[in-house]
Amino acid sequence: MNKKYIIALDGGTTSSRCIIFDRNGNIVSISQKEFTQYFPSPGHVEHDAVEIWSTQLTVLKEALEKSGINACEIDSIGITNQRETTILWDRNTGIPVYNAIVWQCRRTSQYCDRLKKRGYTDIIRDKTGLVIDAYFSATKIKWILDNIEGVRDKAQNGDILFGTVDTWLLWNLTGGKVHATDYSNAARTMLYNINELCWDKDLLKLFDIPESILPTVKPSSCHFGSTDLSLFGHEIAICGIAGDQQAALFGQTCFAKGEAKNTYGTGCFLLLNIGDKPHINKNGLISTIAWGINNKITYALEGSVFVGGAVIQWLRDQMQFITSAADSELVAAKLKNNEGVYFVPAFTGLGAPYWDQYAKGTIVGMTRGSNPSHIVRAALESIAYQSYDVIKAMESSCGIKLKELNVDGGACANDLLMQFQADILCSRITRPLCIESTALGAAYLSGLETGFFASMDEIKSRKSVSKQFIPNMSEIDIKNNLDGWHNAIQRTLTK
Ligand code: ADP
């Protein structure tokens, strides 16, 4: 019982973080380090994979040092990560053959357009649950193989390994002994067949990717390997891996079909647990593997809102209507309701369920009496309306009615936004005490394998709630609000 703590490594998009949790899921120590973002040309985004690893190792050591915890008191390590980001390295030297190509990178967009024109949309969706997009790893891997001299030959000789960030960290933590990933990350490569649970031979052929470079796919909660002795003078087991959004769903204890979470960050990420069967859907939502535990796969529907909390940043930085993001609540609360003003923050087009990449931001319903409060309120409400639209698309696609929404991310601190979300959804909103759901999910996955946490039921029973928001709006007000929003959407759409 001297194993008192569990470590979550969070390999994010802008920083590496390490959080040490105790048995009750409380944070004991936390350390974070940003790493460099490279923008080699417009729309291209890269990271230095070596820097990802070195910052991750630094924060791990820092979190241990700060807390005075000894490595032998650590039960195990769970890893969560920015998804899809693609790294290829030489298996003999451990040196990456190119920078990590980040999920945001659009360099393979035109190739994806050609795949769509050639009629691959249905095949790829049916096999992987995904829409063809530069976002996912497959076309990024192909780009490196096709464009970096000598890499394809080396790959044919079995000298190249591919990994998403989890796999890269695992390989380095284990001193190059383990080349593996989990189901949730494999499902984001656009190479993994989520029905048959294998790397898909047809897709490997289509993208001309040798299977030998791919990691072994394992359950999200299992013994992946142990840290190399040279790192901490002590081997620590690595027993949990999941992509960030799936880890957050797990950290929110959305273990049962019909349970969902929404992360209100820069954008919003919604995941709905849909149980043990994939649901391939045609309205642009993604079907994905949430996790695999004990040979049982749990699937999720995923939808996102491109501009969530980012609209509040825009009001603060560009418009200077507010001095801090938290201020938005006070300014919006000066009004009892939106007084007919709606704001569709389609700064980067509109995603699910509208899919109009040419749409632009639109404010409707302004009068001579409108002031910054109207715009701030309309901006906050837009985060809730956009999330509402994604949730309704999910519900109608798979026939599940959401009863409760679990929330996290920076903007979930806004009570006005959360109450409004509960009102228009007519669903209870639950904000947990620990909103580090992503890291917590990785820790839970790892601790379940080692017995640090007894069972999923036990984890669920210990979830602490910070606040619940109960729907409290009349049917007529809900209808009027939604009508006003959908009218604003119609005025925003370009087709
Ligand atoms: P990310 O992980 O995407 O960087 P965070 O989860 O840290 O995002 O959340 C930050 C976002 O949340 C920012 O876009 C910010 O504008 C928004 N935000 C933070 N606090 C509030 C608040 N009290 N009300 C509304 N929006 C907020």
Side-chain angles (χ1 to χ4, degrees), residues 263-267 308-313 316 325-329 380 383 409-411 413-414 417:
T263 301
Y264 296 82
T266 309
V311 70
I312 303 302
Q313 284 170 337
R316 184 193 61 195
D327 238 15
S328 61
E329 186 166 349
L380 272 181
I383 302 173
N414 191 309
L417 170 61

mmCIF file with all atom_site columns, all heavy atoms in Angstrom, residues 263-267 308-313 316 325-329 380 383 409-411 413-414 417, ligand 1:
data_model
loop_
_atom_site.group_PDB
_atom_site.id
_atom_site.type_symbol
_atom_site.label_atom_id
_atom_site.label_alt_id
_atom_site.label_comp_id
_atom_site.label_asym_id
_atom_site.label_entity_id
_atom_site.label_seq_id
_atom_site.pdbx_PDB_ins_code
_atom_site.Cartn_x
_atom_site.Cartn_y
_atom_site.Cartn_z
_atom_site.occupancy
_atom_site.B_iso_or_equiv
_atom_site.pdbx_formal_charge
_atom_site.auth_seq_id
_atom_site.auth_comp_id
_atom_site.auth_asym_id
_atom_site.auth_atom_id
_atom_site.pdbx_PDB_model_num
ATOM   1   N N   . THR A 1 263 ? -16.702 19.763 -23.551 1.00 0.00 ? 263 THR A N   1
ATOM   2   C CA  . THR A 1 263 ? -15.568 20.550 -23.082 1.00 0.00 ? 263 THR A CA  1
ATOM   3   C C   . THR A 1 263 ? -15.659 21.934 -23.703 1.00 0.00 ? 263 THR A C   1
ATOM   4   O O   . THR A 1 263 ? -15.612 22.074 -24.923 1.00 0.00 ? 263 THR A O   1
ATOM   5   C CB  . THR A 1 263 ? -14.244 19.863 -23.469 1.00 0.00 ? 263 THR A CB  1
ATOM   6   O OG1 . THR A 1 263 ? -14.224 18.562 -22.870 1.00 0.00 ? 263 THR A OG1 1
ATOM   7   C CG2 . THR A 1 263 ? -13.044 20.664 -22.980 1.00 0.00 ? 263 THR A CG2 1
ATOM   8   N N   . TYR A 1 264 ? -15.836 22.954 -22.865 1.00 0.00 ? 264 TYR A N   1
ATOM   9   C CA  . TYR A 1 264 ? -15.964 24.336 -23.349 1.00 0.00 ? 264 TYR A CA  1
ATOM   10  C C   . TYR A 1 264 ? -14.599 25.013 -23.293 1.00 0.00 ? 264 TYR A C   1
ATOM   11  O O   . TYR A 1 264 ? -14.264 25.683 -22.326 1.00 0.00 ? 264 TYR A O   1
ATOM   12  C CB  . TYR A 1 264 ? -16.964 25.120 -22.490 1.00 0.00 ? 264 TYR A CB  1
ATOM   13  C CG  . TYR A 1 264 ? -18.385 24.610 -22.543 1.00 0.00 ? 264 TYR A CG  1
ATOM   14  C CD1 . TYR A 1 264 ? -18.784 23.522 -21.762 1.00 0.00 ? 264 TYR A CD1 1
ATOM   15  C CD2 . TYR A 1 264 ? -19.332 25.210 -23.362 1.00 0.00 ? 264 TYR A CD2 1
ATOM   16  C CE1 . TYR A 1 264 ? -20.073 23.050 -21.811 1.00 0.00 ? 264 TYR A CE1 1
ATOM   17  C CE2 . TYR A 1 264 ? -20.644 24.734 -23.413 1.00 0.00 ? 264 TYR A CE2 1
ATOM   18  C CZ  . TYR A 1 264 ? -20.998 23.663 -22.637 1.00 0.00 ? 264 TYR A CZ  1
ATOM   19  O OH  . TYR A 1 264 ? -22.279 23.186 -22.689 1.00 0.00 ? 264 TYR A OH  1
ATOM   20  N N   . GLY A 1 265 ? -13.799 24.791 -24.323 1.00 0.00 ? 265 GLY A N   1
ATOM   21  C CA  . GLY A 1 265 ? -12.495 25.441 -24.410 1.00 0.00 ? 265 GLY A CA  1
ATOM   22  C C   . GLY A 1 265 ? -12.529 26.457 -25.530 1.00 0.00 ? 265 GLY A C   1
ATOM   23  O O   . GLY A 1 265 ? -13.567 27.086 -25.778 1.00 0.00 ? 265 GLY A O   1
ATOM   24  N N   . THR A 1 266 ? -11.405 26.590 -26.232 1.00 0.00 ? 266 THR A N   1
ATOM   25  C CA  . THR A 1 266 ? -11.342 27.472 -27.393 1.00 0.00 ? 266 THR A CA  1
ATOM   26  C C   . THR A 1 266 ? -12.470 27.112 -28.365 1.00 0.00 ? 266 THR A C   1
ATOM   27  O O   . THR A 1 266 ? -13.207 27.955 -28.856 1.00 0.00 ? 266 THR A O   1
ATOM   28  C CB  . THR A 1 266 ? -9.977  27.293 -28.088 1.00 0.00 ? 266 THR A CB  1
ATOM   29  O OG1 . THR A 1 266 ? -8.973  27.420 -27.091 1.00 0.00 ? 266 THR A OG1 1
ATOM   30  C CG2 . THR A 1 266 ? -9.774  28.310 -29.170 1.00 0.00 ? 266 THR A CG2 1
ATOM   31  N N   . GLY A 1 267 ? -12.559 25.813 -28.653 1.00 0.00 ? 267 GLY A N   1
ATOM   32  C CA  . GLY A 1 267 ? -13.732 25.249 -29.346 1.00 0.00 ? 267 GLY A CA  1
ATOM   33  C C   . GLY A 1 267 ? -14.472 24.392 -28.336 1.00 0.00 ? 267 GLY A C   1
ATOM   34  O O   . GLY A 1 267 ? -14.066 24.313 -27.176 1.00 0.00 ? 267 GLY A O   1
ATOM   35  N N   . GLY A 1 308 ? -15.842 28.356 -29.777 1.00 0.00 ? 308 GLY A N   1
ATOM   36  C CA  . GLY A 1 308 ? -16.557 28.292 -28.499 1.00 0.00 ? 308 GLY A CA  1
ATOM   37  C C   . GLY A 1 308 ? -16.074 29.463 -27.644 1.00 0.00 ? 308 GLY A C   1
ATOM   38  O O   . GLY A 1 308 ? -16.399 30.630 -27.903 1.00 0.00 ? 308 GLY A O   1
ATOM   39  N N   . GLY A 1 309 ? -15.216 29.161 -26.652 1.00 0.00 ? 309 GLY A N   1
ATOM   40  C CA  . GLY A 1 309 ? -14.645 30.211 -25.802 1.00 0.00 ? 309 GLY A CA  1
ATOM   41  C C   . GLY A 1 309 ? -13.865 31.243 -26.617 1.00 0.00 ? 309 GLY A C   1
ATOM   42  O O   . GLY A 1 309 ? -13.664 32.375 -26.161 1.00 0.00 ? 309 GLY A O   1
ATOM   43  N N   . ALA A 1 310 ? -13.466 30.869 -27.832 1.00 0.00 ? 310 ALA A N   1
ATOM   44  C CA  . ALA A 1 310 ? -12.705 31.796 -28.685 1.00 0.00 ? 310 ALA A CA  1
ATOM   45  C C   . ALA A 1 310 ? -13.498 33.067 -28.987 1.00 0.00 ? 310 ALA A C   1
ATOM   46  O O   . ALA A 1 310 ? -12.907 34.139 -29.177 1.00 0.00 ? 310 ALA A O   1
ATOM   47  C CB  . ALA A 1 310 ? -12.317 31.111 -29.990 1.00 0.00 ? 310 ALA A CB  1
ATOM   48  N N   . VAL A 1 311 ? -14.833 32.977 -28.989 1.00 0.00 ? 311 VAL A N   1
ATOM   49  C CA  . VAL A 1 311 ? -15.631 34.178 -29.254 1.00 0.00 ? 311 VAL A CA  1
ATOM   50  C C   . VAL A 1 311 ? -15.493 35.159 -28.083 1.00 0.00 ? 311 VAL A C   1
ATOM   51  O O   . VAL A 1 311 ? -15.555 36.386 -28.263 1.00 0.00 ? 311 VAL A O   1
ATOM   52  C CB  . VAL A 1 311 ? -17.110 33.826 -29.579 1.00 0.00 ? 311 VAL A CB  1
ATOM   53  C CG1 . VAL A 1 311 ? -17.854 33.322 -28.348 1.00 0.00 ? 311 VAL A CG1 1
ATOM   54  C CG2 . VAL A 1 311 ? -17.837 35.020 -30.170 1.00 0.00 ? 311 VAL A CG2 1
ATOM   55  N N   . ILE A 1 312 ? -15.286 34.616 -26.899 1.00 0.00 ? 312 ILE A N   1
ATOM   56  C CA  . ILE A 1 312 ? -15.111 35.465 -25.714 1.00 0.00 ? 312 ILE A CA  1
ATOM   57  C C   . ILE A 1 312 ? -13.721 36.122 -25.755 1.00 0.00 ? 312 ILE A C   1
ATOM   58  O O   . ILE A 1 312 ? -13.571 37.306 -25.426 1.00 0.00 ? 312 ILE A O   1
ATOM   59  C CB  . ILE A 1 312 ? -15.313 34.636 -24.420 1.00 0.00 ? 312 ILE A CB  1
ATOM   60  C CG1 . ILE A 1 312 ? -16.693 33.967 -24.421 1.00 0.00 ? 312 ILE A CG1 1
ATOM   61  C CG2 . ILE A 1 312 ? -15.102 35.470 -23.162 1.00 0.00 ? 312 ILE A CG2 1
ATOM   62  C CD1 . ILE A 1 312 ? -17.871 34.937 -24.552 1.00 0.00 ? 312 ILE A CD1 1
ATOM   63  N N   . GLN A 1 313 ? -12.733 35.361 -26.223 1.00 0.00 ? 313 GLN A N   1
ATOM   64  C CA  . GLN A 1 313 ? -11.392 35.952 -26.420 1.00 0.00 ? 313 GLN A CA  1
ATOM   65  C C   . GLN A 1 313 ? -11.465 37.087 -27.432 1.00 0.00 ? 313 GLN A C   1
ATOM   66  O O   . GLN A 1 313 ? -10.829 38.123 -27.275 1.00 0.00 ? 313 GLN A O   1
ATOM   67  C CB  . GLN A 1 313 ? -10.412 34.902 -26.966 1.00 0.00 ? 313 GLN A CB  1
ATOM   68  C CG  . GLN A 1 313 ? -9.945  33.918 -25.931 1.00 0.00 ? 313 GLN A CG  1
ATOM   69  C CD  . GLN A 1 313 ? -9.167  32.765 -26.574 1.00 0.00 ? 313 GLN A CD  1
ATOM   70  O OE1 . GLN A 1 313 ? -9.324  32.464 -27.751 1.00 0.00 ? 313 GLN A OE1 1
ATOM   71  N NE2 . GLN A 1 313 ? -8.348  32.106 -25.778 1.00 0.00 ? 313 GLN A NE2 1
ATOM   72  N N   . ARG A 1 316 ? -12.801 40.135 -25.957 1.00 0.00 ? 316 ARG A N   1
ATOM   73  C CA  . ARG A 1 316 ? -11.830 40.734 -25.037 1.00 0.00 ? 316 ARG A CA  1
ATOM   74  C C   . ARG A 1 316 ? -10.690 41.406 -25.816 1.00 0.00 ? 316 ARG A C   1
ATOM   75  O O   . ARG A 1 316 ? -10.387 42.567 -25.580 1.00 0.00 ? 316 ARG A O   1
ATOM   76  C CB  . ARG A 1 316 ? -11.266 39.628 -24.123 1.00 0.00 ? 316 ARG A CB  1
ATOM   77  C CG  . ARG A 1 316 ? -10.319 40.107 -23.048 1.00 0.00 ? 316 ARG A CG  1
ATOM   78  C CD  . ARG A 1 316 ? -9.584  38.943 -22.417 1.00 0.00 ? 316 ARG A CD  1
ATOM   79  N NE  . ARG A 1 316 ? -8.786  38.236 -23.421 1.00 0.00 ? 316 ARG A NE  1
ATOM   80  C CZ  . ARG A 1 316 ? -8.258  37.029 -23.253 1.00 0.00 ? 316 ARG A CZ  1
ATOM   81  N NH1 . ARG A 1 316 ? -8.457  36.362 -22.131 1.00 0.00 ? 316 ARG A NH1 1
ATOM   82  N NH2 . ARG A 1 316 ? -7.542  36.474 -24.205 1.00 0.00 ? 316 ARG A NH2 1
ATOM   83  N N   . ALA A 1 325 ? -12.092 37.130 -19.608 1.00 0.00 ? 325 ALA A N   1
ATOM   84  C CA  . ALA A 1 325 ? -13.131 36.191 -20.064 1.00 0.00 ? 325 ALA A CA  1
ATOM   85  C C   . ALA A 1 325 ? -14.233 36.075 -19.010 1.00 0.00 ? 325 ALA A C   1
ATOM   86  O O   . ALA A 1 325 ? -15.423 36.045 -19.327 1.00 0.00 ? 325 ALA A O   1
ATOM   87  C CB  . ALA A 1 325 ? -12.508 34.833 -20.361 1.00 0.00 ? 325 ALA A CB  1
ATOM   88  N N   . ALA A 1 326 ? -13.814 36.061 -17.737 1.00 0.00 ? 326 ALA A N   1
ATOM   89  C CA  . ALA A 1 326 ? -14.798 35.901 -16.653 1.00 0.00 ? 326 ALA A CA  1
ATOM   90  C C   . ALA A 1 326 ? -15.764 37.085 -16.591 1.00 0.00 ? 326 ALA A C   1
ATOM   91  O O   . ALA A 1 326 ? -16.930 36.943 -16.196 1.00 0.00 ? 326 ALA A O   1
ATOM   92  C CB  . ALA A 1 326 ? -14.079 35.735 -15.328 1.00 0.00 ? 326 ALA A CB  1
ATOM   93  N N   . ASP A 1 327 ? -15.281 38.251 -17.003 1.00 0.00 ? 327 ASP A N   1
ATOM   94  C CA  . ASP A 1 327 ? -16.101 39.464 -17.063 1.00 0.00 ? 327 ASP A CA  1
ATOM   95  C C   . ASP A 1 327 ? -17.357 39.308 -17.908 1.00 0.00 ? 327 ASP A C   1
ATOM   96  O O   . ASP A 1 327 ? -18.359 40.003 -17.709 1.00 0.00 ? 327 ASP A O   1
ATOM   97  C CB  . ASP A 1 327 ? -15.259 40.546 -17.763 1.00 0.00 ? 327 ASP A CB  1
ATOM   98  C CG  . ASP A 1 327 ? -15.086 41.751 -16.915 1.00 0.00 ? 327 ASP A CG  1
ATOM   99  O OD1 . ASP A 1 327 ? -15.359 41.640 -15.713 1.00 0.00 ? 327 ASP A OD1 1
ATOM   100 O OD2 . ASP A 1 327 ? -14.692 42.793 -17.472 1.00 0.00 ? 327 ASP A OD2 1
ATOM   101 N N   . SER A 1 328 ? -17.287 38.405 -18.880 1.00 0.00 ? 328 SER A N   1
ATOM   102 C CA  . SER A 1 328 ? -18.408 38.237 -19.817 1.00 0.00 ? 328 SER A CA  1
ATOM   103 C C   . SER A 1 328 ? -19.698 37.931 -19.049 1.00 0.00 ? 328 SER A C   1
ATOM   104 O O   . SER A 1 328 ? -20.783 38.348 -19.459 1.00 0.00 ? 328 SER A O   1
ATOM   105 C CB  . SER A 1 328 ? -18.107 37.131 -20.828 1.00 0.00 ? 328 SER A CB  1
ATOM   106 O OG  . SER A 1 328 ? -17.924 35.900 -20.157 1.00 0.00 ? 328 SER A OG  1
ATOM   107 N N   . GLU A 1 329 ? -19.562 37.242 -17.927 1.00 0.00 ? 329 GLU A N   1
ATOM   108 C CA  . GLU A 1 329 ? -20.743 36.858 -17.167 1.00 0.00 ? 329 GLU A CA  1
ATOM   109 C C   . GLU A 1 329 ? -21.432 38.084 -16.568 1.00 0.00 ? 329 GLU A C   1
ATOM   110 O O   . GLU A 1 329 ? -22.656 38.256 -16.686 1.00 0.00 ? 329 GLU A O   1
ATOM   111 C CB  . GLU A 1 329 ? -20.350 35.868 -16.064 1.00 0.00 ? 329 GLU A CB  1
ATOM   112 C CG  . GLU A 1 329 ? -21.545 35.314 -15.334 1.00 0.00 ? 329 GLU A CG  1
ATOM   113 C CD  . GLU A 1 329 ? -21.216 34.105 -14.482 1.00 0.00 ? 329 GLU A CD  1
ATOM   114 O OE1 . GLU A 1 329 ? -20.093 33.554 -14.605 1.00 0.00 ? 329 GLU A OE1 1
ATOM   115 O OE2 . GLU A 1 329 ? -22.098 33.711 -13.711 1.00 0.00 ? 329 GLU A OE2 1
ATOM   116 N N   . LEU A 1 380 ? -22.082 34.702 -25.624 1.00 0.00 ? 380 LEU A N   1
ATOM   117 C CA  . LEU A 1 380 ? -22.131 33.592 -24.658 1.00 0.00 ? 380 LEU A CA  1
ATOM   118 C C   . LEU A 1 380 ? -23.212 32.591 -25.039 1.00 0.00 ? 380 LEU A C   1
ATOM   119 O O   . LEU A 1 380 ? -22.994 31.376 -25.037 1.00 0.00 ? 380 LEU A O   1
ATOM   120 C CB  . LEU A 1 380 ? -22.439 34.136 -23.252 1.00 0.00 ? 380 LEU A CB  1
ATOM   121 C CG  . LEU A 1 380 ? -21.277 34.580 -22.390 1.00 0.00 ? 380 LEU A CG  1
ATOM   122 C CD1 . LEU A 1 380 ? -21.788 35.050 -21.040 1.00 0.00 ? 380 LEU A CD1 1
ATOM   123 C CD2 . LEU A 1 380 ? -20.256 33.450 -22.204 1.00 0.00 ? 380 LEU A CD2 1
ATOM   124 N N   . ILE A 1 383 ? -22.445 30.019 -27.746 1.00 0.00 ? 383 ILE A N   1
ATOM   125 C CA  . ILE A 1 383 ? -21.694 28.808 -27.381 1.00 0.00 ? 383 ILE A CA  1
ATOM   126 C C   . ILE A 1 383 ? -22.698 27.706 -27.013 1.00 0.00 ? 383 ILE A C   1
ATOM   127 O O   . ILE A 1 383 ? -22.551 26.542 -27.410 1.00 0.00 ? 383 ILE A O   1
ATOM   128 C CB  . ILE A 1 383 ? -20.732 29.099 -26.200 1.00 0.00 ? 383 ILE A CB  1
ATOM   129 C CG1 . ILE A 1 383 ? -19.766 30.236 -26.572 1.00 0.00 ? 383 ILE A CG1 1
ATOM   130 C CG2 . ILE A 1 383 ? -19.982 27.845 -25.793 1.00 0.00 ? 383 ILE A CG2 1
ATOM   131 C CD1 . ILE A 1 383 ? -18.873 30.709 -25.410 1.00 0.00 ? 383 ILE A CD1 1
ATOM   132 N N   . GLY A 1 409 ? -13.624 22.252 -19.148 1.00 0.00 ? 409 GLY A N   1
ATOM   133 C CA  . GLY A 1 409 ? -13.026 23.290 -20.003 1.00 0.00 ? 409 GLY A CA  1
ATOM   134 C C   . GLY A 1 409 ? -13.205 24.668 -19.376 1.00 0.00 ? 409 GLY A C   1
ATOM   135 O O   . GLY A 1 409 ? -14.085 24.874 -18.529 1.00 0.00 ? 409 GLY A O   1
ATOM   136 N N   . GLY A 1 410 ? -12.357 25.620 -19.795 1.00 0.00 ? 410 GLY A N   1
ATOM   137 C CA  . GLY A 1 410 ? -12.296 26.940 -19.173 1.00 0.00 ? 410 GLY A CA  1
ATOM   138 C C   . GLY A 1 410 ? -13.633 27.654 -19.052 1.00 0.00 ? 410 GLY A C   1
ATOM   139 O O   . GLY A 1 410 ? -13.950 28.234 -18.002 1.00 0.00 ? 410 GLY A O   1
ATOM   140 N N   . ALA A 1 411 ? -14.455 27.619 -20.103 1.00 0.00 ? 411 ALA A N   1
ATOM   141 C CA  . ALA A 1 411 ? -15.684 28.415 -20.105 1.00 0.00 ? 411 ALA A CA  1
ATOM   142 C C   . ALA A 1 411 ? -16.808 27.774 -19.287 1.00 0.00 ? 411 ALA A C   1
ATOM   143 O O   . ALA A 1 411 ? -17.853 28.406 -19.070 1.00 0.00 ? 411 ALA A O   1
ATOM   144 C CB  . ALA A 1 411 ? -16.153 28.672 -21.540 1.00 0.00 ? 411 ALA A CB  1
ATOM   145 N N   . ALA A 1 413 ? -16.737 27.523 -16.314 1.00 0.00 ? 413 ALA A N   1
ATOM   146 C CA  . ALA A 1 413 ? -16.772 28.291 -15.062 1.00 0.00 ? 413 ALA A CA  1
ATOM   147 C C   . ALA A 1 413 ? -17.870 29.352 -15.101 1.00 0.00 ? 413 ALA A C   1
ATOM   148 O O   . ALA A 1 413 ? -18.222 29.927 -14.068 1.00 0.00 ? 413 ALA A O   1
ATOM   149 C CB  . ALA A 1 413 ? -15.421 28.962 -14.839 1.00 0.00 ? 413 ALA A CB  1
ATOM   150 N N   . ASN A 1 414 ? -18.409 29.614 -16.288 1.00 0.00 ? 414 ASN A N   1
ATOM   151 C CA  . ASN A 1 414 ? -19.394 30.691 -16.446 1.00 0.00 ? 414 ASN A CA  1
ATOM   152 C C   . ASN A 1 414 ? -20.807 30.184 -16.109 1.00 0.00 ? 414 ASN A C   1
ATOM   153 O O   . ASN A 1 414 ? -21.431 29.445 -16.880 1.00 0.00 ? 414 ASN A O   1
ATOM   154 C CB  . ASN A 1 414 ? -19.326 31.190 -17.894 1.00 0.00 ? 414 ASN A CB  1
ATOM   155 C CG  . ASN A 1 414 ? -20.109 32.468 -18.101 1.00 0.00 ? 414 ASN A CG  1
ATOM   156 O OD1 . ASN A 1 414 ? -21.275 32.543 -17.726 1.00 0.00 ? 414 ASN A OD1 1
ATOM   157 N ND2 . ASN A 1 414 ? -19.482 33.459 -18.707 1.00 0.00 ? 414 ASN A ND2 1
ATOM   158 N N   . LEU A 1 417 ? -23.683 31.019 -18.612 1.00 0.00 ? 417 LEU A N   1
ATOM   159 C CA  . LEU A 1 417 ? -23.624 30.146 -19.792 1.00 0.00 ? 417 LEU A CA  1
ATOM   160 C C   . LEU A 1 417 ? -24.150 28.753 -19.463 1.00 0.00 ? 417 LEU A C   1
ATOM   161 O O   . LEU A 1 417 ? -24.946 28.178 -20.222 1.00 0.00 ? 417 LEU A O   1
ATOM   162 C CB  . LEU A 1 417 ? -22.172 30.076 -20.301 1.00 0.00 ? 417 LEU A CB  1
ATOM   163 C CG  . LEU A 1 417 ? -21.848 29.033 -21.369 1.00 0.00 ? 417 LEU A CG  1
ATOM   164 C CD1 . LEU A 1 417 ? -22.661 29.254 -22.638 1.00 0.00 ? 417 LEU A CD1 1
ATOM   165 C CD2 . LEU A 1 417 ? -20.353 29.052 -21.709 1.00 0.00 ? 417 LEU A CD2 1
HETATM 166 P P1  . ADP B 2 .   ? -8.157  25.424 -24.374 1.00 0.00 ? 1   ADP B P1  1
HETATM 167 O O1  . ADP B 2 .   ? -7.810  24.177 -23.620 1.00 0.00 ? 1   ADP B O1  1
HETATM 168 O O2  . ADP B 2 .   ? -8.899  25.198 -25.651 1.00 0.00 ? 1   ADP B O2  1
HETATM 169 O O3  . ADP B 2 .   ? -7.016  26.390 -24.514 1.00 0.00 ? 1   ADP B O3  1
HETATM 170 P P2  . ADP B 2 .   ? -9.500  26.244 -21.925 1.00 0.00 ? 1   ADP B P2  1
HETATM 171 O O4  . ADP B 2 .   ? -10.231 25.032 -21.474 1.00 0.00 ? 1   ADP B O4  1
HETATM 172 O O5  . ADP B 2 .   ? -8.291  26.677 -21.181 1.00 0.00 ? 1   ADP B O5  1
HETATM 173 O O6  . ADP B 2 .   ? -9.239  26.187 -23.488 1.00 0.00 ? 1   ADP B O6  1
HETATM 174 O O7  . ADP B 2 .   ? -10.561 27.456 -21.917 1.00 0.00 ? 1   ADP B O7  1
HETATM 175 C C1  . ADP B 2 .   ? -10.212 28.714 -22.360 1.00 0.00 ? 1   ADP B C1  1
HETATM 176 C C2  . ADP B 2 .   ? -11.345 29.319 -23.155 1.00 0.00 ? 1   ADP B C2  1
HETATM 177 O O8  . ADP B 2 .   ? -12.472 29.511 -22.315 1.00 0.00 ? 1   ADP B O8  1
HETATM 178 C C3  . ADP B 2 .   ? -10.981 30.659 -23.731 1.00 0.00 ? 1   ADP B C3  1
HETATM 179 O O9  . ADP B 2 .   ? -11.415 30.701 -25.070 1.00 0.00 ? 1   ADP B O9  1
HETATM 180 C C4  . ADP B 2 .   ? -11.745 31.674 -22.873 1.00 0.00 ? 1   ADP B C4  1
HETATM 181 O O10 . ADP B 2 .   ? -12.210 32.756 -23.652 1.00 0.00 ? 1   ADP B O10 1
HETATM 182 C C5  . ADP B 2 .   ? -12.903 30.863 -22.350 1.00 0.00 ? 1   ADP B C5  1
HETATM 183 N N1  . ADP B 2 .   ? -13.264 31.230 -20.977 1.00 0.00 ? 1   ADP B N1  1
HETATM 184 C C6  . ADP B 2 .   ? -12.502 31.102 -19.869 1.00 0.00 ? 1   ADP B C6  1
HETATM 185 N N2  . ADP B 2 .   ? -13.174 31.520 -18.775 1.00 0.00 ? 1   ADP B N2  1
HETATM 186 C C7  . ADP B 2 .   ? -14.390 31.923 -19.202 1.00 0.00 ? 1   ADP B C7  1
HETATM 187 C C8  . ADP B 2 .   ? -15.551 32.449 -18.559 1.00 0.00 ? 1   ADP B C8  1
HETATM 188 N N3  . ADP B 2 .   ? -15.600 32.622 -17.232 1.00 0.00 ? 1   ADP B N3  1
HETATM 189 N N4  . ADP B 2 .   ? -16.613 32.740 -19.341 1.00 0.00 ? 1   ADP B N4  1
HETATM 190 C C9  . ADP B 2 .   ? -16.591 32.532 -20.673 1.00 0.00 ? 1   ADP B C9  1
HETATM 191 N N5  . ADP B 2 .   ? -15.533 32.039 -21.325 1.00 0.00 ? 1   ADP B N5  1
HETATM 192 C C10 . ADP B 2 .   ? -14.452 31.737 -20.607 1.00 0.00 ? 1   ADP B C10 1
#
